[in-house]
């Protein structure tokens, strides 16, 4: 079993609800709290397992804003686990979830150096490394209704941009959607083989723009003169 | 990468310490170039052990949770950091047994002592090589992900050990001074050339870009917003980048302080009676290597920076 997330970049609106839900659930979860530094002060900062960056792709009018949520990719080749000297970082053989044993971590930051996706953040209060657990304390909790045994970020996403499932099973929903939509990995060239995949935005014609009249030769000459003079 | 003082002190001091101990074991056990007297061997040996210890202790200062530092020996099968720790811990009893044995025998070199010397040298090389591999094994930082890094760590460690041994011999006027100084000059030249190749190599554009990071490889991509209002761990740890003009000036400083000035002074130290220069040589070298190590971190560009505005690494 290889549990992971598939994130649809076509429908993500960048509302950060997944990041907030993640913070809320995990603050009291197995690796919580996610410490905040100076939360009500001038320069607030803190630990997050999930961060959303927005990118501008292409040039106007063929341009698009792409919101890119990133959390732990639960890589097949998890170098963060390989480099960990204490054995605090480990990858569960049964479902591929990468976790940090908070009782063993010495806070050397080495795993964060080895992670290309910025998934690991040091908690200065506990002195240990913290990261996305794929809500391991939710997805197996039999006290929860079966429909809620999903990571907090997936449950909360208002546009249903996030999908959770077993990427080893070719018949699972996540595998099917990756197949149909051409799901891809971030930085495949590094060879970490991340489990999480992203679905590219659907190809659309650029929005109709107001027609600009073709400039006449006289106007072009005038424009060229104006530019030449201001230089 | 953020250049942490504790890690700079760790790599420079332990590199010089282990480099010195490797050379002391070599020259004392096999009588090369006239050999080292018992006094010279023990002085240099204690100096080397002190430097290595200062370095290793300094490395624990960058741990956020040093209570668990003892667990760092747990993953020798996969982690170079673990291997470095294990080799360093194995090094001490072997080196102390060798120096103690030599002292106990009054300087007589038996076969067993020579065996211990070889073991000391091998473990010393293993420690310094592992230090280099800690950085070289990271695929996330292309400036480090090269075999030049462990090669440079070994060469700079041995060269700085050579400068320290030359300094000790300049004071004692030992018979091996000429041979040790010549070896040191060779090592300094090799380390300087190694570093030159490294600086050319990291100048070559390569590695991940914002396009491979976001998967949009057929259009221009730029960061629109990072989604956070303040700095966080990732920005603090990986965001630091030295201005390019400063980098170029500091590379000249590295060459002057760590390679050219020590080489000239070592050549002068070969003449007897120049021991006033000895301390100057050591200071110049250690200052140069500290700048070199600062640059090693400041020039490294982690791929996470692609998510904070960098177009390429």
């Amino acid at each position: 079993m290889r549990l992971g997330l598939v994130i649809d970049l076509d429908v993500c609106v960048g509302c950060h609800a997944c990041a907030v839900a993640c913070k809320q659930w995990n603050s009291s979860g197995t690796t919580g709290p996610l410490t905040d530094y100076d939360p009500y002060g001038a320069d607030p900062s803190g630990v997050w397992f999930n961060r959303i960056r927005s990118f501008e792709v292409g040039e106007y009018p063929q341009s698009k804003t792409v919101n890119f949520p990133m959390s732990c990719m639960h890589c097949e080749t998890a170098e963060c686990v390989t480099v960990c000297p204490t054995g605090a970082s480990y990858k569960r053989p049964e479902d591929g979830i990468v976790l940090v044993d908070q009782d063993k971590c010495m806070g050397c930051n080495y795993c964060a150096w080895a992670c290309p996706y910025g998934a690991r953040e040091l908690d200065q209060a506990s002195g240990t490394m913290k990261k996305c657990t794929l809500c391991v304390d939710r997805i197996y909790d039999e006290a929860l209704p079966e429909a809620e045994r999903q990571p907090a970020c997936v449950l909360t996403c208002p546009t249903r941009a996030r999908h959770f499932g077993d990427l080893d099973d070719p018949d699972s929903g996540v595998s099917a959607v990756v197949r149909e939509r051409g799901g891809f990995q971030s930085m495949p060239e590094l060879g970490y083989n991340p489990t999480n995949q992203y679905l590219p935005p659907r190809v659309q014609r650029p929005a109709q723009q107001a027609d600009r009249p073709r400039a006449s030769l006289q106007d072009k000459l005038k424009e060229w003169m104006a530019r030449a003079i201001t230089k | 990468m953020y250049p942490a003082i504790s890690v700079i002190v760790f790599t420079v001091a332990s590199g010089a310490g282990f480099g010195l101990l490797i050379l002391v074991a070599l020259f004392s056990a096999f009588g090369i170039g006239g050999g080292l007297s018992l006094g010279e061997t023990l002085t240099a040996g204690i100096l080397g052990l002190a430097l290595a210890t200062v370095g290793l202790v300094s490395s624990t200062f960058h741990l956020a949770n040093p209570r668990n530092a003892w667990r760092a020996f747990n993953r020798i099968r996969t982690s170079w950091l673990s291997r470095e720790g294990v080799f360093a811990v194995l090094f001490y009893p072997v080196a102390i047994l060798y120096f103690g044995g030599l002292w106990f025998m009054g300087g007589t070199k038996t076969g067993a002592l020579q065996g211990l010397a070889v073991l000391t040298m091998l473990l010393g090389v293993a420690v310094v090589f592992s230090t280099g591999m800690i950085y070289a094994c990271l695929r996330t930082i292309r400036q480090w992900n090269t075999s030049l890094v462990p090669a440079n760590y070994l060469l700079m460690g041995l060269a700085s050990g050579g400068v320290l041994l030359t300094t000790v011999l300049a004071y004692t006027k030992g018979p091996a001074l000429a041979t040790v100084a010549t070896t040191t000059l060779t090592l300094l030249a090799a380390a300087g050339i190694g570093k030159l190749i490294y600086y050319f190599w990291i100048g070559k554009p390569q590695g991940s870009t914002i396009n491979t990071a976001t998967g949009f490889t057929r259009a221009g991509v730029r960061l629109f917003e990072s989604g956070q209002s303040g700095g966080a761990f990732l920005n603090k740890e990986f965001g630091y980048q030295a201005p390019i003009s400063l980098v170029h000036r500091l590379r000249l400083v590295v060459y002057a302080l760590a390679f050219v000035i020590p080489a000239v002074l070592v050549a002068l130290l070969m003449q007897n009676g120049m021991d006033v220069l000895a301390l100057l040589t050591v200071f110049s070298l250690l200052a140069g290597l500290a700048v070199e190590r600062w640059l090693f971190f400041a020039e490294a560009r982690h791929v996470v920076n692609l998510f904070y505005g960098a177009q390429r690494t």
Side-chain angles (χ1 to χ4, degrees), chain B residues 291-307:
Chain B
V291 177
E292 184 276 328
R293 219 46 55 86
W294 187 89
L295 270 183
F296 179 73
F297 287 94
E299 285 193 87
R301 298 277 286 147
H302 195 284
V303 290
V304 154
N305 289 299
L306 297 173
F307 303 113

Side-chain angles (χ1 to χ4, degrees), chain B residues 263-274:
Chain B
V264 171
L265 291 176
V266 163
L268 288 173
L269 285 175
M270 284 170 78
Q271 329 298 324
N272 274 341
M274 303 292 268

Side-chain angles (χ1 to χ4, degrees), chain A residues 35-118:
Chain A
T35 310
D36 283 325
Y37 319 120
D38 196 18
Y40 304 106
D43 188 22
S45 176
V47 180
W48 294 76
F49 293 170
N50 189 5
R51 290 181 184 272
I52 298 95
R53 288 107 188 178
S54 301
F55 295 92
E56 194 179 18
V57 179
E59 294 291 323
Y60 178 82
Q62 270 87 10
S63 60
K64 186 170 173 58
T65 304
V66 174
N67 303 296
F68 209 89
M70 294 183 74
S71 52
C72 176
M73 307 277 176
H74 301 281
C75 301
E76 275 293 273
T77 310
E79 291 278 276
C80 52
V81 174
T82 315
V83 303
C84 176
T86 62
S89 283
Y90 62 103
K91 185 172 172 69
R92 300 182 2 145
E94 64 269 34
D95 53 17
I97 298 179
V98 177
L99 293 172
V100 182
D101 186 336
Q102 298 292 309
D103 293 334
K104 289 184 182 166
C105 177
M106 66 173 187
C108 68
N109 287 357
Y110 196 24
C111 56
W113 292 12
C115 174
Y117 306 110

Side-chain angles (χ1 to χ4, degrees), chain A residues 9-195:
Chain A
L9 299 179
D10 192 51
V11 294
C12 175
V13 292
C15 68
H16 292 243
C18 52
V20 175
C22 165
K23 182 112 175 167
Q24 187 274 332
W25 175 262
N26 284 295
S27 282
S28 51
T30 47
T31 50
L34 283 68
T35 310
D36 283 325
Y37 319 120
D38 196 18
Y40 304 106
D43 188 22
S45 176
V47 180
W48 294 76
F49 293 170
N50 189 5
R51 290 181 184 272
I52 298 95
R53 288 107 188 178
S54 301
F55 295 92
E56 194 179 18
V57 179
E59 294 291 323
Y60 178 82
Q62 270 87 10
S63 60
K64 186 170 173 58
T65 304
V66 174
N67 303 296
F68 209 89
M70 294 183 74
S71 52
C72 176
M73 307 277 176
H74 301 281
C75 301
E76 275 293 273
T77 310
E79 291 278 276
C80 52
V81 174
T82 315
V83 303
C84 176
T86 62
S89 283
Y90 62 103
K91 185 172 172 69
R92 300 182 2 145
E94 64 269 34
D95 53 17
I97 298 179
V98 177
L99 293 172
V100 182
D101 186 336
Q102 298 292 309
D103 293 334
K104 289 184 182 166
C105 177
M106 66 173 187
C108 68
N109 287 357
Y110 196 24
C111 56
W113 292 12
C115 174
Y117 306 110
R120 290 169 168 258
E121 301 195 12
L122 185 85
D123 187 330
Q124 288 168 24
S126 64
T128 53
M129 200 51 78
K130 296 194 170 172
K131 67 177 287 300
C132 159
T133 64
L134 208 62
C135 285
V136 70
D137 41 10
R138 268 197 83 91
I139 57 177
Y140 293 112
D141 188 352
E142 290 182 0
L144 290 171
E146 203 168 333
E148 285 183 28
R149 288 178 213 160
Q150 296 203 52
C153 56
V154 175
L155 281 176
T156 207
C157 179
T159 62
R160 306 252 173 114
R162 303 175 74 93
H163 308 272
F164 165 71
D166 178 10
L167 284 133
D168 252 358
D169 174 9
D171 298 326
S172 69
V174 280
S175 296
V177 79
V178 164
R179 225 170 21 240
E180 285 158 18
R181 295 275 308 280
F184 66 89
Q185 301 169 323
S186 170
M187 286 187 276
E189 72 278 11
L190 289 181
Y192 282 60
N193 197 5
T195 300

Side-chain angles (χ1 to χ4, degrees), chain B residues 160-265:
Chain B
S160 47
V163 169
L164 289 167
L165 189 54
T166 310
T167 308
V168 171
L169 293 182
Y171 280 112
T172 60
K173 315 250 185 299
L177 176 60
T179 319
V180 170
T182 318
T183 311
T184 303
L185 287 177
T186 317
L187 286 169
L188 278 172
I193 291 168
K195 206 61 217 180
L196 200 63
I197 295 172
Y198 174 79
Y199 284 142
F200 273 108
W201 188 84
I202 64 168
K204 202 176 88 177
Q206 53 190 323
S208 300
T209 66
I210 195 168
N211 301 91
T212 63
T214 56
F216 298 97
T217 49
R218 284 182 282 179
V221 180
R222 68 178 189 92
L223 183 71
F224 180 59
E225 63 161 339
S226 71
Q228 59 197 52
S229 57
F233 169 77
L234 297 174
N235 310 91
K236 213 161 36 175
E237 189 73 4
F238 305 118
Y240 181 78
Q241 197 191 4
I244 195 75
S245 57
L246 179 67
V247 166
H248 286 153
R249 260 177 284 153
L250 285 182
R251 282 183 184 178
L252 293 180
V253 172
V254 169
Y255 265 89
L257 289 182
F259 299 113
V260 177
I261 293 176
V264 171
L265 291 176

